[in-house]
Amino acid sequence: MQKSLSQLCKAVFDTKGWWPSVMQMLQWCVLVLTEKSGTLQLVGVEEDPCVTAMFTATRVCMGNKVDIVLSSDVHSQERATEWSDFYKNLGVSLNTNMKKTDASYKDVYESDIVFGTINDFVSDYFQYSREVMETGNPLPNRGFIIEEQSLSSSLNLELSRLKDKGVMVSAAEVLQSLMGKFHSEDMELICSFMKALFQVLHTNLNKDINTSNEIITILKTITGQGLSSDEVFILTFLENLLKVVTEETEGEKNKSPAGNWCLESLLVCAEQIQTSATAKELLQMVSELVAQRLWSPVEALNLLGTLTDHHHDEDCVSIMKILHLMTTYQVSTKWTDENNQSLLKLLDSSKAENLIQHLEKSLRDEKVKSIDTLIDEIRQMRDIDEQTLSKSYSVVTHVTNLIKSGEIQKHRDVQRARTLSHSANTEDLQEVLAVLCNAVHLHKAEGKWWPRTNQMISWCLLALSDTGKLLEMGTGEGKSCVIAMFAVLRVLRGEKVDVVSSSSVLCQRDAEEWKNFYKYFGVTADTNTNKTEDEDRKECYQKDVVYGTIEAFAADHLRQTFEMKDVRPDRSYQCIIIDEVDSLLLDQGVQLTYLSSPMVSMQHLNVILTMIWSHVRQYGFLSAEHQTFVRGPPASFFKAIFDSIDTEGTEIDDPMDILRIAEESNTVPKGFTEEIYQSEKDELLRKLKTVSQDAVVNFFQEIEDYIPCGFTVYTLDDEGLLCLRKCSPYNNQDIPELKFLVLEEGLCCPLYDSEETLIKPIAELISKKIQYTPCTNNQDKISIPGFLKNLVEKKVSVWVQNAFLAMQLKEGRDYVVENNNVCPVDFRSTGIVEQNKKWGDGLQQFVEIKHQIKLSTISIVTNYMSNISFFEKYQGKIYGTTGTLGSKTDILFLQDLYPTLSACKMPTFNRKKLFEVKGTLKTSAEEWKSEIKRVVMAQISPNSYRGGRAALVICETINKAKEIHEELKSSIPGEIILYCRSDRDSLSKIDKELLPGDVIVATNLAGRGTDIKVSKQVNNNGGLFVILSFLSENTRVELQAFGRTARKGKPGSAQVIISTDHLSQSFRTVSSLEEAKSTRDRLAAENVNNMMNDVTELKLREDLFSEYCKTLEDIHKNTDGDEKRAVVAVMNEFWGIWLQTKSEEIDQLKRNELQTSLKADLTRAKSQSEGRLHRVRAFITTSSLEISL
């Protein structure tokens, strides 16, 4: 090595005039010592031309020929030119692979070293490997070095040399698509793939290789037809690439997607080659099996080979029946039947008909998990300490044995269970659980079933926790049973239990379904969501267990503490159990509940809101590609331009000056300006009709010579979308860019990037039209009481902003109009129509004006309670269950808010059999609708290997659900149900058992907490098929939707089908569903992190409210009767207005300043209100004396 290094360094000095540095010599040594064996295959080398040249020369001297891959043609030419003298000095031949003809190919690659780009190397080797396969002449044995900088360019393969090579075109497209998948991956994976690609490119794919090529054999068997030599080559190349990539990434088999992508490319290519629909469907089924990570790509290919070898029949019916069973029941390579035989062994040894029957029986009768398996799965998650696990194991094992032996029938002593309920002793817990399970069996299950093992374990984990526990239990695993059993335990301990659910329908359902179970223990239960009178509420809270929504619980707390009503007088906050805990703690974690506080004085604001709406409604929203603009009101083109420009420093003083310029530039005819001067309004509009749209568009270019502005101009296309006609010629921040929409008839509208630029000027315009009493009356202004001045001045900008928002809100998505009431819809999460909710800050009123219904009075918030504050009242005794606890970010957020909480994921009682079909992203709403219809019809219709299924389509909004329902209803063979409302009548529609061919189209109402029942026949055919037709706000909402199927150990499938047309602005540039989900997850994590800022603001608001409540409490103690009512009314009005006027300071979290101000302002307001009341009382007394005299 010393001798070699000396010779190389001398060659560098002789040709370059400088010596390699010590670092370069060390790098050369490392490469020589680490790259000893076989053909050189080096990927991701850091760029150092000197080290590369010395090392490559060394390998050539050892008998290797080397390809060096660089980032560009220019780079390749420069490197070759720069180091040609060095290589020549050592007798090494050098070339580049640019600009060569087919005839010169052999000459180029006869050289010792060839420089080039990935594009050129891949094109050359691809093209000539095809020739080698035909002729049998071997490729030259060459190694390769791929420098790090070239790897990024490798992901954008052009392969232009293959585009005119006939069959190579499709091969190039497949390879380009495959390379494009690596864009978002880390460099290590890219290096592994590039190494595998070049290994295959440098391999001799001789013409006899197809005899051992799996995919070719499979296709020939299925179709009974041969393949062309070109098809054989492409498939051989892709299969070899799959095998090499799998070997390269074998250590990360379950992490690296590279093998899956290679198989996907191979199968796509095979589908393109085959015209047989059967072959295509078969290949897609195998692809889906791999997508579920049940089989590795190579294993799946071998599986298909075994199936075609042993079970091929007409139309491949037996193969597809077996594959359908495998996907339906999630059969992996590890699966064995009751005789411990693997699937591959069964495939080799059984006839198709016998095998299918055996698989059906084995898979449908699959045993539930044992307690040992469940405990071991929990142990592996490391969320529960060993002592708790051990005790839970002993308790559940004992009760399970009692059930098996029938001895549990003797365990009915409720009084003994009450006595033992406080104990954490194993024997005592065994007795309590036995009594509970027996009660469930007799009084809920009517003797048909017992609580499952994982439900009993869940109960134990809750029972053994004194500091709160959140359990993630899979959808359909029986959360309501665990909640009822745990609620009884807490009541037996002498506590009152509040059970919170995400909707009134769900909590009323659970309270009703478990009433007989509670009654057995002497436990009283009720629901707080259907109570409208205070007496009924008071009676409800005297029960042991109260089911309800967070809104109902918080509202009743405010009635007790703020309105001083006797609704929850002696019920302390002892234990709370939250069903769907992620929805309530995360999705609605910073939600405020408040009681409506009607104030007559606020009616004065309606005239301001009406005036704002009449101005804002002149604007509109228009889209252009990935941007949405606000369109201003139409005006004559010369006035619209004048109103938008800064005329300072120009000779333009009037809109007519713009029109004169238009006349000079022949945009309008001579004399047009004078005619307009003399025209009335109607005549003006008639004359403007003679000005063409194209003339106005061209005029914007002319006017740029007169004023320091650049104009970007749009027109509308036939679909009403913006069409760019002219761009601003400037790219200078000092020169403003103005955007306009040119209409017909000489009219145009200014376009604004956002309504934010309009809020301030509109607010100022509105403010100028208001006068505050007492004042000299101005007929041109509206009069508002002076005590509202601060409120109006603080809020007018917010109202303008909400007027723009009201324009964007859509009926059937954001709200519904029922019985002349506007009701918001929680379409992003639960799909519930929130009948008791009203928007604040004028938004409710603007939507009412929009629909021309009776205008309600703007609400002033005088009382409120956050979910966080309500949950904190239970001092850590928060227990909850959900199907989806969320990401690590979500759980960390919860633990920051509630430090004593711990979380645990519970295993399912049986192997989960959800098959998630690869989702799809469509580029238009029409394609989206057609794809949903195609998929639904394919799933609910019987075919050669299975019967029909039932389907559930979950839509983002009520409007979309109605649209899909309309699209499907004439084609569905069974019953089609539209489910968009959360009332009992609507719930009863989906309570029936779905048969093959039935379809439910729903909003996200069906996505959480809804148990969709399907017949045994549907389950045998694959279960319910769920389509989520929109990109959910977070992964939890998606998983909840998928949780409507594959419940209780039964099979089911789910798929996401979305359209870019329905995505928000943040997602409009995404090109795949994976990219859309990745963006969604990133934004969801950011939202959770930002929630902490909201929590800080909430705590400040609640501290201010607590301070006000002290004053209110003092008033209630020291006054009574009419005087109390009057003072409270005045103080509430003051407090509500104070909150509104201080909203900016609250947003800025000026805690000390606000608390000081509030104390002083409350003292003054209380004094003034009492003084005013005394004056009124004195006046009344004096008047009474005068009358009596």
Side-chain angles (χ1 to χ4, degrees):
M1 281 183 66
Q2 289 176 343
K3 189 173 180 181
S4 296
L5 183 57
S6 299
Q7 188 178 354
L8 290 166
C9 289
K10 186 174 186 306
V12 172
F13 180 76
D14 289 344
T15 56
K16 302 298 174 193
W18 46 266
W19 293 97
S21 67
V22 173
M23 180 58 73
Q24 287 170 326
M25 287 187 269
L26 285 171
Q27 287 175 330
W28 176 86
C29 290
V30 170
L31 287 172
V32 170
L33 291 170
T34 56
E35 299 294 329
K36 288 181 179 179
S37 59
T39 305
L40 179 63
Q41 298 176 351
L42 200 56
V43 181
V45 178
E46 290 185 15
E47 184 178 351
D48 187 319
C50 178
V51 175
T52 301
M54 291 167 63
F55 176 64
T56 309
T58 305
R59 294 304 298 235
V60 171
C61 293
M62 295 167 64
N64 293 155
K65 293 179 182 291
V66 183
D67 297 329
I68 301 178
V69 185
L70 301 177
S71 58
S72 68
D73 286 342
V74 173
H75 198 183
S76 300
Q77 191 62 58
E78 287 175 351
R79 185 78 69 87
T81 303
E82 182 183 357
W83 289 91
S84 60
D85 53 351
F86 167 79
Y87 289 119
K88 187 176 180 181
N89 181 284
L90 296 170
V92 174
S93 58
L94 172 69
N95 213 330
T96 68
N97 62 8
M98 300 179 293
K99 300 178 183 177
K100 62 181 186 322
T101 62
D102 289 354
S104 67
Y105 167 79
K106 289 182 181 178
D107 295 335
V108 169
Y109 287 96
E110 283 298 319
S111 302
D112 296 320
I113 296 172
V114 176
F115 284 104
T117 63
I118 283 184
N119 255 309
D120 291 337
F121 279 119
V122 172
S123 297
D124 287 347
Y125 280 105
F126 218 91
Q127 185 176 341
Y128 291 106
S129 290
R130 167 73 185 81
E131 292 180 12
V132 166
M133 179 175 277
E134 279 293 299
T135 63
N137 296 325
L139 279 169
N141 184 22
R142 305 185 64 86
F144 54 86
I145 297 176
I146 304 177
E147 291 197 353
E148 190 174 30
Q149 281 192 336
S150 68
L151 289 172
S152 55
S153 62
S154 71
L155 303 179
N156 298 305
L157 283 182
E158 294 178 5
L159 303 178
S160 53
R161 293 183 187 176
L162 298 180
K163 295 298 174 67
D164 57 351
K165 300 293 182 183
V167 73
M168 290 297 173
V169 174
S170 60
E173 289 172 352
V174 169
L175 201 53
Q176 283 175 314
S177 173
L178 177 58
M179 295 292 290
K181 295 179 185 297
F182 287 84
H183 269 290
S184 59
E185 299 301 321
D186 59 37
M187 192 54 69
E188 186 178 350
L189 182 59
I190 293 170
C191 286
S192 296
F193 177 76
M194 292 307 301
K195 184 176 180 180
L197 175 62
F198 267 71
Q199 282 178 12
V200 177
L201 288 171
H202 286 72
T203 301
N204 285 301
L205 305 174
N206 71 59
K207 61 183 179 181
D208 296 324
I209 200 166
N210 63 313
T211 56
S212 61
N213 191 297
E214 199 79 64
I215 192 68
I216 293 170
T217 306
I218 290 166
L219 291 178
K220 286 181 177 179
T221 305
I222 292 171
T223 63
Q225 300 172 357
L227 300 172
S228 71
S229 56
D230 289 329
E231 291 168 345
V232 168
F233 167 71
I234 295 169
L235 292 173
T236 301
F237 172 79
L238 289 172
E239 185 169 334
N240 274 270
L241 181 59
L242 166 63
K243 289 173 180 176
V244 176
V245 164
T246 302
E247 289 171 7
E248 282 292 319
T249 57
E250 196 167 13
E252 41 187 346
K253 173 181 168 185
N254 294 320
K255 299 177 185 176
S256 169
N260 289 19
W261 291 339
C262 288
L263 179 66
E264 185 182 316
S265 299
L266 173 63
L267 297 180
V268 166
C269 191
E271 285 178 38
Q272 290 173 350
I273 288 170
Q274 289 302 316
T275 56
S276 162
T278 300
K280 289 183 178 181
E281 187 170 7
L282 202 58
L283 295 170
Q284 285 169 1
M285 292 174 82
V286 173
S287 180
E288 288 172 353
L289 202 61
V290 174
Q292 297 294 300
R293 296 188 179 275
L294 299 170
W295 295 69
S296 75
V298 173
E299 287 169 343
L301 204 55
N302 293 335
L303 168 70
L304 187 54
T306 304
L307 284 167
T308 51
D309 284 346
H310 294 83
H311 301 283
H312 178 254
D313 55 11
E314 188 177 355
D315 293 330
C316 302
V317 173
S318 294
I319 296 176
M320 287 200 280
K321 281 184 176 179
I322 294 168
L323 285 172
H324 170 64
L325 285 169
M326 291 176 63
T327 53
T328 298
Y329 291 98
Q330 298 285 279
V331 176
S332 70
T333 51
K334 297 177 181 177
W335 178 87
T336 58
D337 66 2
E338 61 273 19
N339 299 319
N340 209 30
Q341 293 187 93
S342 69
L343 180 66
L344 288 174
K345 188 173 180 181
L346 289 169
L347 289 175
D348 283 334
S349 61
S350 307
K351 289 184 178 180
E353 188 177 346
N354 295 337
L355 173 62
I356 291 167
Q357 290 176 356
H358 177 70
L359 285 175
E360 285 177 343
K361 185 176 185 310
S362 295
L363 293 168
R364 288 171 186 168
D365 298 340
E366 200 169 61
K367 293 179 180 178
V368 299
K369 295 175 185 174
S370 68
I371 184 170
D372 295 274
T373 301
L374 291 169
I375 291 291
D376 191 52
E377 287 183 26
I378 298 172
R379 182 178 286 115
Q380 288 176 24
M381 295 173 202
R382 299 182 179 179
D383 292 325
I384 304 294
D385 65 272
E386 192 58 41
Q387 184 180 355
T388 302
L389 272 182
S390 178
K391 185 172 286 189
S392 300
Y393 179 85
S394 298
V395 171
V396 175
T397 301
H398 177 78
V399 175
T400 304
N401 290 334
L402 289 176
I403 293 172
K404 288 177 181 176
S405 66
E407 288 292 312
I408 198 167
Q409 301 288 351
K410 300 174 182 177
H411 295 263
R412 301 186 180 191
D413 191 338
V414 173
Q415 190 53 48
R416 184 158 185 254
R418 187 185 303 277
T419 305
L420 300 175
S421 62
H422 289 276
S423 172
N425 181 279
T426 302
E427 291 76 15
D428 296 341
L429 284 170
Q430 288 170 348
E431 178 60 25
V432 174
L433 181 57
V435 174
L436 287 167
C437 288
N438 199 32
V440 170
H441 177 69
L442 294 173
H443 302 286
K444 173 63 175 77
E446 297 176 346
K448 296 175 184 176
W449 51 267
W450 297 90
R452 290 189 288 264
T453 306
N454 67 331
Q455 290 173 311
M456 289 190 265
I457 295 173
S458 299
W459 179 87
C460 286
L461 296 180
L462 294 174
L464 291 168
S465 173
D466 292 324
T467 57
K469 177 74 68 179
L470 305 182
L471 298 181
E472 181 177 305
M473 297 180 66
T475 51
E477 293 292 305
K479 295 188 291 293
S480 59
C481 177
V482 175
I483 288 170
M485 289 168 66
F486 182 61
V488 168
L489 173 70
R490 303 303 291 219
V491 173
L492 293 178
R493 291 179 179 178
E495 296 178 348
K496 298 289 187 182
V497 178
D498 297 330
V499 181
V500 185
S501 187
S502 58
S503 84
S504 58
V505 173
L506 295 179
C507 60
Q508 288 172 31
R509 178 201 69 186
D510 287 348
E512 179 65 25
E513 286 185 0
W514 289 90
K515 67 178 182 181
N516 290 335
F517 170 75
Y518 287 127
K519 188 176 180 181
Y520 175 75
F521 290 94
V523 172
T524 54
D526 204 347
T527 310
N528 65 11
T529 53
N530 53 1
K531 305 297 185 288
T532 55
E533 301 297 328
D534 291 339
E535 279 300 315
D536 295 333
R537 293 185 181 106
K538 182 176 181 179
E539 184 181 345
C540 172
Y541 282 107
Q542 289 170 349
K543 303 292 173 60
D544 299 313
V545 178
V546 176
Y547 282 81
T549 61
I550 182 62
E551 294 85 359
F553 277 110
D556 289 339
H557 171 81
L558 289 171
R559 289 186 180 97
Q560 180 73 33
T561 59
F562 175 74
E563 294 184 344
M564 303 294 177
K565 292 181 176 179
D566 196 28
V567 295
R568 187 174 173 154
D570 48 13
R571 185 184 185 90
S572 56
Y573 299 87
Q574 294 176 308
C575 176
I576 187 168
I577 307 172
I578 307 172
D579 191 13
E580 306 297 355
V581 68
D582 64 307
S583 175
L584 295 169
L585 293 187
L586 287 168
D587 298 331
Q588 301 172 41
V590 291
Q591 173 181 289
L592 281 175
T593 298
Y594 61 90
L595 300 176
S596 178
S597 302
M599 294 183 186
V600 176
S601 61
M602 294 300 110
Q603 291 179 359
H604 294 289
L605 302 177
N606 285 354
V607 65
I608 300 177
L609 299 181
T610 305
M611 187 163 56
I612 289 172
W613 181 257
S614 66
H615 195 90
V616 169
R617 68 182 297 212
Q618 300 175 65
Y619 295 82
F621 293 87
L622 291 170
S623 295
E625 292 184 349
H626 305 304
Q627 188 173 4
T628 298
F629 295 107
V630 180
R631 171 196 55 74
S636 59
F637 72 92
F638 52 90
K639 185 175 188 309
I641 294 172
F642 180 81
D643 289 344
S644 299
I645 62 174
D646 181 0
T647 58
E648 188 176 344
T650 70
E651 297 180 0
I652 297 171
D653 301 313
D654 185 87
M656 303 309 289
D657 293 333
I658 302 284
L659 191 56
R660 288 191 190 92
I661 297 171
E663 191 174 320
E664 291 170 10
S665 63
N666 296 321
T667 301
V668 296
K670 300 296 182 185
F672 191 85
T673 308
E674 189 61 32
E675 291 178 14
I676 293 295
Y677 257 128
Q678 298 172 6
S679 298
E680 297 294 329
K681 183 176 180 181
D682 291 344
E683 182 67 13
L684 167 65
L685 293 173
R686 188 185 65 76
K687 288 183 180 297
L688 277 174
K689 289 181 180 180
T690 64
V691 184
S692 73
Q693 187 181 58
D694 289 341
V696 176
V697 171
N698 294 333
F699 176 65
F700 276 97
Q701 189 161 339
E702 300 287 343
I703 195 70
E704 285 172 342
D705 295 334
Y706 295 84
I707 54 178
C709 290
F711 292 96
T712 296
V713 180
Y714 295 86
T715 55
L716 292 177
D717 63 17
D718 294 338
E719 295 179 356
L721 299 174
L722 290 175
C723 177
L724 181 63
R725 294 287 300 274
K726 175 195 173 304
C727 287
S728 168
Y730 305 112
N731 188 18
N732 186 337
Q733 291 184 346
D734 296 331
I735 300 176
E737 178 190 7
L738 300 177
K739 300 180 182 72
F740 281 87
L741 167 65
V742 176
L743 305 171
E744 301 285 354
E745 303 178 351
L747 301 175
C748 66
C749 312
L751 295 176
Y752 306 94
D753 291 334
S754 166
E755 66 271 22
E756 295 296 326
T757 57
L758 296 166
I759 290 171
K760 185 178 179 182
I762 294 175
E764 289 174 349
L765 181 67
I766 297 297
S767 297
K768 288 176 183 176
K769 296 181 179 181
I770 300 172
Q771 61 185 357
Y772 298 97
T773 59
C775 62
T776 304
N777 191 33
N778 184 336
Q779 295 292 334
D780 296 328
K781 294 186 177 185
I782 60 171
S783 297
I784 299 296
F787 72 90
L788 293 174
K789 182 178 180 182
N790 285 344
L791 173 64
V792 173
E793 289 176 347
K794 286 278 188 178
K795 283 293 178 179
V796 66
S797 294
V798 176
W799 294 336
V800 173
Q801 188 174 18
N802 278 340
F804 277 109
L805 177 56
M807 291 177 66
Q808 297 175 75
L809 295 180
K810 292 182 180 178
E811 184 180 4
R813 182 189 72 176
D814 303 280
Y815 63 91
V816 294
V817 179
E818 295 178 345
N819 302 319
N820 284 332
N821 287 314
V822 173
C823 302
V825 177
D826 178 20
F827 76 94
R828 295 188 185 281
S829 181
T830 62
I832 292 173
V833 177
E834 300 175 301
Q835 294 177 317
N836 296 321
K837 179 178 178 180
K838 289 186 182 294
W839 287 305
D841 281 334
L843 181 57
Q844 182 80 18
Q845 287 68 35
F846 288 128
V847 177
E848 289 167 350
I849 297 171
K850 177 179 172 181
H851 287 277
Q852 298 181 343
I853 59 180
K854 184 180 178 182
L855 191 61
S856 62
T857 302
I858 194 168
S859 297
I860 291 293
V861 176
T862 60
N863 60 88
Y864 44 82
M865 177 167 235
S866 71
N867 293 3
I868 293 170
S869 179
F870 183 77
F871 293 138
E872 284 177 342
K873 289 189 169 298
Y874 294 86
Q875 298 181 342
K877 290 186 178 181
I878 301 173
Y879 300 88
T881 62
T882 182
T884 47
L885 260 181
S887 65
K888 288 183 179 178
T889 305
D890 295 333
I891 293 171
L892 287 173
F893 171 74
L894 290 179
Q895 289 175 339
D896 281 345
L897 282 182
Y898 311 102
T900 61
L901 272 185
S902 59
C904 173
K905 183 174 182 177
M906 294 299 299
T908 56
F909 77 92
N910 205 336
R911 198 166 51 84
K912 190 74 173 173
K913 301 178 185 71
L914 173 67
F915 183 76
E916 186 178 341
V917 179
K918 184 179 180 183
T920 181
L921 174 69
K922 294 298 177 182
T923 54
S924 74
E926 283 305 311
E927 285 183 13
W928 166 79
K929 207 185 320 182
S930 298
E931 179 67 5
I932 289 173
K933 184 175 183 179
R934 185 193 70 77
V935 172
V936 167
M937 295 309 299
Q939 293 297 332
I940 66 174
S941 304
N943 57 33
S944 62
Y945 56 86
R946 62 152 174 81
R949 304 167 68 178
L952 166 66
V953 184
I954 300 178
C955 302
E956 184 174 25
T957 67
I958 295 171
N959 290 345
K960 296 275 192 327
K962 289 178 178 177
E963 190 179 340
I964 293 297
H965 179 265
E966 191 66 28
E967 180 77 11
L968 293 176
K969 69 179 184 182
S970 60
S971 306
I972 300 303
E975 184 179 358
I976 183 166
I977 301 165
L978 181 64
Y979 176 49
C980 299
R981 295 300 312 270
S982 54
D983 52 60
R984 283 185 175 273
D985 290 340
S986 299
L987 198 61
S988 66
K989 290 181 184 178
I990 61 167
D991 204 31
K992 60 159 279 187
E993 189 179 80
L994 298 183
L995 301 173
D998 289 347
V999 176
I1000 295 175
V1001 180
T1003 61
N1004 220 32
L1005 269 177
R1008 184 184 282 273
T1010 309
D1011 189 5
I1012 309 289
K1013 301 177 182 69
V1014 298
S1015 68
K1016 184 178 180 180
Q1017 192 179 358
V1018 169
N1019 275 327
N1020 288 343
N1021 296 338
L1024 180 69
F1025 191 92
V1026 174
I1027 294 176
L1028 185 63
S1029 67
F1030 62 97
L1031 184 68
S1032 59
E1033 197 171 29
N1034 53 55
T1035 307
R1036 288 178 293 102
V1037 174
E1038 181 179 312
L1039 293 176
Q1040 283 285 350
F1042 287 2
R1044 297 317 97 203
T1045 188
R1047 298 164 70 87
K1048 302 175 183 175
K1050 302 301 182 186
S1053 310
Q1055 184 179 17
V1056 176
I1057 302 175
I1058 64 173
S1059 167
T1060 51
D1061 281 0
H1062 302 151
L1063 296 176
S1064 64
Q1065 207 68 44
S1066 310
F1067 295 86
R1068 285 294 172 88
T1069 58
V1070 299
S1071 57
S1072 68
L1073 181 59
E1074 291 74 21
E1075 188 181 350
K1077 285 188 176 184
S1078 176
T1079 303
R1080 183 268 312 274
D1081 294 343
R1082 175 178 55 78
L1083 293 174
E1086 289 175 7
N1087 287 340
V1088 171
N1089 290 330
N1090 293 336
M1091 278 171 68
M1092 262 307 175
N1093 297 330
D1094 297 334
V1095 170
T1096 306
E1097 183 189 320
L1098 278 181
K1099 288 188 179 297
L1100 172 57
R1101 284 185 178 275
E1102 291 187 321
D1103 288 346
L1104 295 172
F1105 179 53
S1106 295
E1107 186 64 37
Y1108 173 63
C1109 284
K1110 291 177 186 175
T1111 300
L1112 209 56
E1113 191 176 342
D1114 184 59
I1115 294 169
H1116 278 278
K1117 282 181 182 176
N1118 297 316
T1119 57
D1120 53 29
D1122 292 339
E1123 181 182 354
K1124 179 169 72 175
R1125 282 190 289 276
V1127 174
V1128 166
V1130 171
M1131 289 300 293
N1132 281 348
E1133 188 170 284
F1134 160 78
W1135 160 243
I1137 293 173
W1138 187 91
L1139 265 182
Q1140 293 286 321
T1141 57
K1142 298 292 184 180
S1143 56
E1144 191 174 324
E1145 290 88 340
I1146 292 172
D1147 287 342
Q1148 295 168 358
L1149 303 177
K1150 295 182 177 179
R1151 175 176 286 274
N1152 294 336
E1153 180 183 319
L1154 284 163
Q1155 288 178 327
T1156 303
S1157 171
L1158 179 60
K1159 286 179 181 178
D1161 292 343
L1162 282 176
T1163 301
R1164 184 166 56 254
K1166 184 183 175 188
S1167 174
Q1168 289 175 351
S1169 64
E1170 289 173 346
R1172 194 182 311 163
L1173 196 65
H1174 290 318
R1175 287 194 295 276
V1176 170
R1177 191 186 298 128
F1179 172 76
I1180 292 171
T1181 304
T1182 305
S1183 300
S1184 300
L1185 287 171
E1186 289 173 355
I1187 292 168
S1188 63
L1189 289 172

